[in-house]
């Protein structure tokens, strides 16, 4: 039994009707030309969403985690050194994966709620005279904390240090929702999935590889077969796949890119910022604070909201689900119990966002938190009304 | 392009996922036994929803309007006299249909916002010593005004007058949402459609005929073929139809009845009352009034809300659609421009209802009405929180 | 539980995937402009399929039978005289409907298997000096016998007689499958449904009214409300409907017209002729005969196949369903038990047609008829191979 | 644009309507209890399909290839020795994967068309006194050649040699279609996917791990994170996943298992054997031979059909697709151009199978092969008729 309510987890997102229909296909022969006519436009669409001219795009029947593994196993060898910051659950997990694959991870412990410390990176990279560091890992949007980091600043750190390391970016919860510029920022591998900004069901890892990343593939000695991009590239060149492709999701991705690109990426980002702004206005009206410590770190795809000291934030998520059949996200890792999360990425309307805010509000009131009914909703309404007017004036 | 928002028109309603899937079928042979295995449980389910033991149920590929025509053409002859009240657009239209079919309609003009005047009916019926009146028409729920009438009182009026007229009830926007008792109330023909309480797409007129109504069929001289229940009854007896049946809708109806009956009709009605209560709390918080003039007339499936004198209520409906992509109902007929309507029938959650209330609120504020943002939402939240608690205590 | 096999009843047809998705819509506000953006292109598309420039198109939530009733009740008055031929079940039923509506039907008994006797019509019309005959009814394709009649010849009969009667054509199982020319043939009302050539689920009566038919509406005294085209026309002018429209079917019709028109109507007809040709080749190979008595009467949408004297044709239909889960049509009325029917209208491929032929063959062999396995299939294969080659040469 | 024809590639299969609907879900919160209520029954269902009491089942968002990688990376370390036979494309690819992961593969070159040489395995295992061989890889059904191997014989070889090696079986194109007995045959890891016997879209690798295989996990030093079954097991214990689960496919798998188990596995296998028998009868009637060299090697899920010397089998596949819009499988690897393949696994009816046979027949005739139209169809019809009768007698 499924709910009629929208969901407010930070992905997978609410799937628009047209995309559900694009994914729900009868079986086709994936070795026939029909498949190529879905695959290549999807690859091309992803390139545009990544804002890259020359990167090669790969689509694996997998998830963002599989995307990370694709990135490291195709470019690195056991013992290779990578630099990362640990500022949330997802950066933590990527670091853990590197360690399990025998890489030497130099990671900067960073408070959860902070972004990637580009200045610290610059110091470390500058100090690495021998260029032992092969890759810098960066989590663009920390889904656990609702923090967006400045990838351009990480690129500047690399450049300032004159360091040749590759730059790998986890854009799982940013790409398609917030500005992402693969070429401008000199990103070598971008990783995302189908179930966030692309608004599809989970099941696809989506990657872009720069020419520099491609050049690293032949010498990489980490074993891989399923995730080997060489087999994938060979397949694509023949309009095929090295194994059975997830045809419905690829058809869906093709339609999702069309949808994002015809709306216009900048409009998509503005829409996310606008919806997120309403949620943030509600949080302020409730007298609560975000986990993200500064406005320039606020994510437009997910807000992690700190609850008062001593209150277990998980109760909010359980109560909302049990009483109002509405799904929010719990806190993960170091912020477990301290925050709850409202996901606001993908295709959301004002009305949907207001329903989430209204339920969060009722839930907190039910649980005895000092939140006035209607207060967050009113703040969000005010925000949406003003921004609607602004949009109309601009249009 | 369809909206992701729930709709708040007073039907067709939001269609639950499982019912959409039940309707969306590949073609079957409607002359094979498979069809009978959908049809008969659907007929049986409708009987239970109508609360009748012995009535015969008919399903026409049509609408509620077709249902009215089925009722009159199968039981009446040109010149026959019928009694009705005109207290809203839908009672008005039924009267108009009778006149166009050459019936002699004695109708009681009743203020829009009032219910059926059972006492006036009793006087008229008592005065009709010769029993010229063949049928009393009653609109159970006036969708135009959000007024539910007391059908039991109409029955009592008939009984008190010792009058043998048939009682036909338009339950299009009540059946499946509000209590309806075909047998207890002595209803001879009940009319509804697929797209309201049954939560399906439009396309079915659904009727119950009492034994007394069935007895009137042979002598009825109004011409009919498509709507002739005799052909339909003959078809059902052979697991078939007199023409091509709307198989998907009938399959959907079968599932819809299962859904209503497993929830329990009384629970379904309580749920509608609860959701409606939140809308009414919001209306009160906005300082507005319902078109229905007394609480016992308040409909649990639709609220018609009066706007301040001099303000055009249609602007609310247009602005909500244009600015927030949300559909409310306009006023019809005598209350056009004076009311807007919030439909709250079918499968609605608290969160969905709150999103409708929040958007109505923003819309009114946008248009300069003296409505405080968050005020209606807070009143509805309070209502839903209390009733949720009450439900939990009862469970 | 639905079958994975295609169906071979003469409608409803197999629904193409894209049309199922077009029909399966979430609820929209049918009073919003979105509805008009589906409705008007659908009306325009139907006009093109009917090959008419000026007719008005009407879409009723009903069936072909409702379409007939719309035709007669909007144009005729009790006692009016109509001329028809009775050469199959569907012409029979239309005559019956006229009689039940108090019309005076002059009908020509015609052998089932024959077409409309245009020469007899000419005699009768010529003899009707007083122009008492108001309407000539013609069933373009008799679904019961698989006979297509020559409507142009009926028009010539009217013209030769200098008779002003209106010409109403039941094109339920021809329009969208076989050539139909409303304007060229001087058809005044064309009637069809959603579930045949338009490949949609049942639920729509589709009609075209010529200017001459429209002119007859005001004086027509048969009572009608649900089927009154004046209310419908008023609704369309406001982008709406006089009652709740079947939105999903109208959206589907819009897509269906696009599909037919982009394929090109002449190509659609050629495709039907080609598929039908394979079925007819199989029938010949089995040593059986069609009910249609001459090749120029052969329908391209359905074949009624005579079984040997003394054999009950219904056994073929039952056995195919029970043993091979495949649906064929039984014989109706005068040819019940004497024919079985293979429907071949809508979207069918060679492979689908061959599967139907193969199962019909097995079934007849199972039941002891003298039919050699593979014989009909081979004949159809030969036909399809040659016509594929021919199409390729033409393209 | 999708075809209305069934497909005859050896997977993905034609998806039954009910399974398409089970997969096509709105987004749910995969961290809520709803997910556990799909996951655990799916895991339990797979156990029953694998015929295992104690194995642990794992479901990865991946493919069969990912399943192989899961098997080897969770149990082996670089340099470990494995034994395999190379008798088709899929056994070849698994061997290749092992080599790319640094394993030492001892493989027996086996003619394509032959099964796994269990006697040779026994010799090799017996000779391996030091038990260097850690794993025996066995491809149950070689999809490339249509050869089913005798896994029980491989188990007997291990037992006769008294060898402790693990037995890993690729059952991608057998499980759910042909008899597979994980416990009886002492299989340590069974690998399959969603898109074959389970009749779902691609996107799931499905594995069973015996207790002995589980015991090997801790010491395995091949790096893995995405495919690490320990993270997966931890997730399942909490009703969750280590990353975003493919919810729709898991829901679909749950329904697919229900479907297979309510039909009864032995009935499912008999059904596949029966359908395959018809295809094989057709092949014989065409005067052609299977790639599988002996009847006991004939696969019930796919037939690879040898074409006459000098004829390019790929032409059949291209022509069928281009001319008749029907998908067959090409030959792969060593039998490329020498065979074409008819997949007959999943949910197929007699009628569907006959349509594939009919089109294959037309295609070969079109290309000048000496194949009489109707000959293969007649042979298959005869087979289906007899087996239908047999089934009826048995029932």
């Amino acid at each position: 039994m499924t709910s009629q309510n929208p969901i407010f987890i930070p992905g997978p997102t609410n799937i628009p009707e047209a995309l559900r229909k694009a994914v729900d296909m009868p079986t086709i022969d994936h070795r026939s030309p029909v498949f190529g006519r879905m695959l290549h436009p999807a690859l091309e669409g992803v390139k545009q969403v990544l804002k890259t001219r020359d990167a090669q795009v790969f689509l694996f029947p997998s998830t963002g985690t599989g995307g990370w593994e694709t990135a490291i196993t195709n470019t690195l060898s056991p013992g290779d050194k990578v630099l990362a910051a640990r500022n949330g659950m997802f950066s933590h997990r990527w670091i853990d994966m590197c360690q399990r694959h025998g890489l030497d991870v130099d990671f900067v412990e960073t408070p959860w709620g902070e972004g990637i410390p580009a200045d610290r990176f610059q110091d470390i990279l500058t100090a690495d005279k021998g260029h032992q560091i092969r890759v810098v890992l960066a989590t663009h949007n920390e889904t656990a904390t609702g923090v967006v980091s400045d990838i351009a600043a990480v690129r500047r750190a690399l450049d300032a240090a004159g360091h040749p390391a590759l730059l790998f970016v986890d854009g799982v919860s940013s790409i398609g929702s917030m500005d992402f510029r693969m070429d401008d920022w000199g990103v070598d591998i971008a990783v995302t999935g189908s179930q966030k900004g692309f608004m599809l069901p989970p099941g696809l890892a989506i990657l872009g590889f720069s020419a520099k990343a491609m050049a690293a593939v032949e010498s990489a000695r980490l074993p891989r077969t399923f995730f080997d991009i060489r087999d994938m590239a060979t397949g694509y060149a023949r309009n095929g796949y090295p194994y059975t492709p997830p045809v419905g999701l690829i058809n869906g991705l093709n339609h999702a890119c069309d949808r994002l690109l015809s709306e216009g990426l900048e409009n998509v980002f503005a829409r996310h910022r606008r919806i997120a702004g309403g949620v943030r206005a509600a949080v302020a009206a409730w007298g609560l604070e975000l986990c993200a410590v500064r406005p320039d770190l606020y994510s437009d795809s997910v807000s992690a909201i700190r609850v008062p000291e001593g209150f277990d934030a998980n109760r909010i998520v359980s109560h909302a689900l049990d009483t109002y059949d509405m799904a929010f996200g719990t806190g993960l890792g170091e912020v477990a119990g301290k925050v709850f999360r409202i996901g606001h990425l993908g295709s959301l309307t004002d009305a949907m966002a207001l329903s989430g805010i209204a339920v969060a509000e009722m839930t907190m009131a039910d649980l005895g938190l000092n939140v006035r009914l209607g207060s967050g909703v009113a703040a969000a309404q005010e925000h949406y009304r003003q921004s609607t007017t602004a949009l109309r004036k601009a249009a």
Side-chain angles (χ1 to χ4, degrees), chain A:
Chain A
M1 195 72 135
T2 56
S3 174
Q4 292 186 282
N5 288 335
I7 48 158
F8 293 93
I9 54 174
T13 70
N14 301 286
I15 312 173
E17 179 76 16
L19 295 186
R20 278 190 59 190
K21 284 177 173 157
V23 171
D24 171 36
M25 283 178 63
T27 303
I28 62 155
D29 178 8
H30 56 280
R31 290 197 172 93
S32 76
V34 173
F35 178 63
R37 291 197 291 268
M38 292 172 190
L39 173 65
H40 289 292
L43 297 173
E44 192 51 44
V46 170
K47 280 178 65 175
Q48 294 188 51
V49 173
L50 296 178
K51 295 190 179 171
T52 179
R53 223 182 41 191
D54 299 320
Q56 289 193 43
V57 170
F58 299 101
L59 310 175
F60 287 89
S62 184
T63 68
T65 302
W68 297 340
E69 192 161 321
T70 302
I72 63 172
T73 58
N74 279 279
T75 54
L76 294 168
S77 300
D80 276 355
K81 195 163 180 172
V82 306
L83 172 65
R86 187 180 170 283
N87 69 327
M89 195 45 147
F90 293 89
S91 43
H92 166 79
R93 284 195 187 147
W94 204 2
I95 291 166
D96 173 62
M97 173 185 279
C98 289
Q99 292 171 331
R100 287 160 74 170
H101 276 76
L103 302 175
D104 174 14
V105 190
D106 185 358
F107 62 90
V108 182
E109 279 289 2
T110 307
W112 290 33
E114 270 291 355
I116 297 171
D119 47 354
R120 285 282 293 126
F121 274 24
Q122 184 171 334
D123 295 347
I124 293 166
L125 290 162
T126 305
D128 178 34
K129 300 299 182 202
H131 296 167
Q132 293 300 304
I133 295 170
R134 298 289 310 276
V135 168
V136 174
L137 303 182
T139 300
H140 186 200
N141 189 64
E142 243 305 342
T143 320
T145 57
V147 164
V148 60
S149 286
D150 184 349
I151 301 301
V154 176
R155 164 50 56 201
R156 286 194 301 270
L158 276 155
D159 291 349
H163 200 290
L166 296 163
L167 174 58
F168 292 0
V169 179
D170 169 353
V172 170
S173 57
S174 62
I175 291 170
S177 308
M178 287 182 279
D179 196 17
F180 185 89
R181 310 181 180 205
M182 187 162 184
D183 286 358
D184 284 2
W185 296 344
V187 174
D188 292 300
I189 301 186
V191 178
T192 187
S194 48
Q195 81 279 12
K196 306 265 180 172
F198 290 106
M199 304 162 286
L200 297 169
L204 281 186
I206 301 170
L207 295 106
F209 272 62
S210 73
K212 194 170 155 194
M214 293 301 296
V217 171
E218 283 311 320
S219 58
R221 294 196 328 279
L222 273 174
R224 77 269 179 192
T225 306
F226 182 79
F227 288 123
D228 199 315
I229 62 163
R230 292 168 301 185
D231 296 338
M232 198 53 90
T234 304
Y236 293 172
R238 296 174 186 159
N239 290 323
Y241 242 64
Y243 33 71
T244 312
V247 176
L249 284 170
I250 290 171
N251 191 43
L253 183 62
N254 191 6
H255 283 75
C257 290
D258 275 357
R259 190 179 172 100
L260 292 171
L261 297 169
S262 24
E263 182 175 353
L265 290 178
E266 307 315 314
N267 295 330
V268 170
F269 304 149
R271 175 166 55 75
H272 279 81
R273 168 142 304 203
R274 187 176 163 276
I275 290 289
V279 173
R280 291 191 286 254
V283 172
W286 295 331
L288 297 177
E289 290 189 351
L290 293 177
C291 181
V293 294
R294 282 187 312 279
D296 59 295
L297 298 174
Y298 292 170
S299 165
D300 289 335
S301 59
V302 54
S303 295
I305 302 160
R306 290 198 176 272
V307 295
E309 201 64 47
F311 184 88
D312 177 7
N314 290 341
R315 293 176 60 204
I316 293 174
V317 177
S318 310
H319 184 87
L321 190 69
D322 294 348
T323 311
Y324 302 109
D325 197 20
M326 185 164 279
F328 297 106
T330 55
L332 301 175
E334 296 191 3
V335 292
K338 297 178 183 166
V339 307
F340 75 99
R341 293 179 296 156
I342 300 182
H344 35 70
L345 77 173
S347 190
L348 276 187
T349 63
D350 294 4
M352 291 161 85
L354 289 167
S355 73
I357 293 166
V359 169
E361 200 163 84
M362 290 163 83
T363 298
M364 291 188 284
D366 286 354
L367 297 175
L369 288 177
N370 183 23
V371 161
R372 188 167 53 78
L373 292 179
S375 60
V377 169
Q381 284 173 314
E382 196 55 54
H383 178 82
Y384 294 142
R385 286 178 61 208
Q386 290 177 356
S387 48
T388 296
T389 314
L391 282 175
R392 302 200 137 202
K393 281 187 184 150

